[in-house]
């Protein structure tokens, strides 16, 4: 199914995939993580996407307690020309607070400095956010991304995500006419 070669992706620089709970992430073996990062990062590299971020979709618990992160820590790996960032933090408010603490106190706080802190080491915010799950619920990790990113929902479980699913989402994105908030004339 991987038919992304026939579509131009020159405007796509950063893809964010949000899916799976921290429990789901912890259940993946190191070998399965390697396969997933290599295959998804390889697809992005082949079509010229320099950044791919994988982020947990952690809805939190109903009783308000913090979910156990299972000892997961952020990490990244270069796959060809694509840098894959694995970010287990599914709490968008926490990610935003952490980014604000990383800002240099001598820098002006504006949209550009906030975006740079939120997405480092990626060069900018995502163009495409792929949400694994139903389109009736947004992940709590998407605090900032909803302003400018295109959303594609895939009815796929985290454990089943593969390169064909990501290819489908990228093709969906590529066939859209982005107006960046503007209206059709």
């Amino acid at each position: 199914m991987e038919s992304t070669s026939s579509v131009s992706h020159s405007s796509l620089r950063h893809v964010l995939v949000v899916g799976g709970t921290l429990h789901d992430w912890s259940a993946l073996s190191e070998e399965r993580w390697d396969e997933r990062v290599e295959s998804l990062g390889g697809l992005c590299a082949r079509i010229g996407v320099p950044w791919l971020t994988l982020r947990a979709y952690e809805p939190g618990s109903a009783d308000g307690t913090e979910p156990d992160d299972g000892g997961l820590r952020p990490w990244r790996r270069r796959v060809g020309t694509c840098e894959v960032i694995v970010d287990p933090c599914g709490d968008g408010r926490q990610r935003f607070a952490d980014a604000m603490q990383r800002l240099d106190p001598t820098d002006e706080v504006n949209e550009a400095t906030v975006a740079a802190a939120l997405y480092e080491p990626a060069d900018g915010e995502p163009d495409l956010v792929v949400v694994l799950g139903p389109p009736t619920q947004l992940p709590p990790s998407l605090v900032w991304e909803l302003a400018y990113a295109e959303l594609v929902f895939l009815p796929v479980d985290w454990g089943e995500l593969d390169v064909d699913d990501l290819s489908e989402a990228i093709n969906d994105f590529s066939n859209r006419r982005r107006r960046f908030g503007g209206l059709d004339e």
Side-chain angles (χ1 to χ4, degrees):
M1 176 183 175
E2 191 179 328
S3 61
T4 56
S5 60
S6 64
V7 181
S8 170
H9 304 289
S10 61
S11 66
L12 189 56
R13 298 201 32 80
H14 187 181
V15 174
L16 169 62
V17 177
V18 181
T21 64
L22 294 175
H23 177 75
D24 298 334
W25 279 39
S26 295
L28 284 184
S29 67
E30 188 173 331
E31 179 180 315
R32 184 68 182 112
W33 267 109
D34 287 342
E35 291 170 2
R36 176 158 296 174
V37 166
E38 289 295 321
S39 66
L40 300 178
L43 169 66
C44 289
R46 284 191 300 281
I47 62 173
V49 175
W51 299 98
L52 170 64
T53 300
L54 305 175
R55 185 181 302 154
Y57 179 150
E58 183 62 52
S61 60
D63 63 5
T65 60
E66 290 296 316
D68 178 25
D69 67 6
L72 297 171
R73 298 291 172 249
W75 56 279
R76 66 185 201 226
R77 178 180 303 155
R78 178 159 292 284
V79 178
T81 58
C82 179
E83 187 80 16
V84 180
I85 302 163
V86 178
D87 179 7
C89 183
D91 183 342
R93 292 173 294 190
Q94 184 62 53
R95 284 184 47 260
F96 189 82
D98 292 346
M100 295 303 92
Q101 289 180 350
R102 286 192 305 271
L103 286 176
D104 185 332
T106 63
D107 287 344
E108 178 183 352
V109 176
N110 58 38
E111 189 172 347
T113 58
V114 170
L118 271 171
Y119 301 113
E120 67 182 14
D123 185 22
E125 57 202 27
D127 304 297
L128 169 62
V129 176
V130 180
V131 179
L132 305 182
T136 56
Q137 183 177 354
L138 287 171
S141 65
L142 299 179
V143 171
W144 192 265
E145 294 83 353
L146 297 177
Y148 300 111
E150 291 285 322
L151 296 173
V152 173
F153 291 87
L154 294 178
V156 176
D157 288 332
W158 171 252
E160 303 303 316
L161 175 68
D162 64 22
V163 71
D164 289 337
D165 298 316
L166 184 56
S167 179
E168 177 184 328
I170 291 171
N171 280 328
D172 183 329
F173 169 86
S174 296
N175 291 317
R176 294 179 180 184
R177 181 170 167 261
R178 296 186 75 195
R179 296 183 307 267
F180 301 97
L183 301 174
D184 287 333
E185 293 181 11

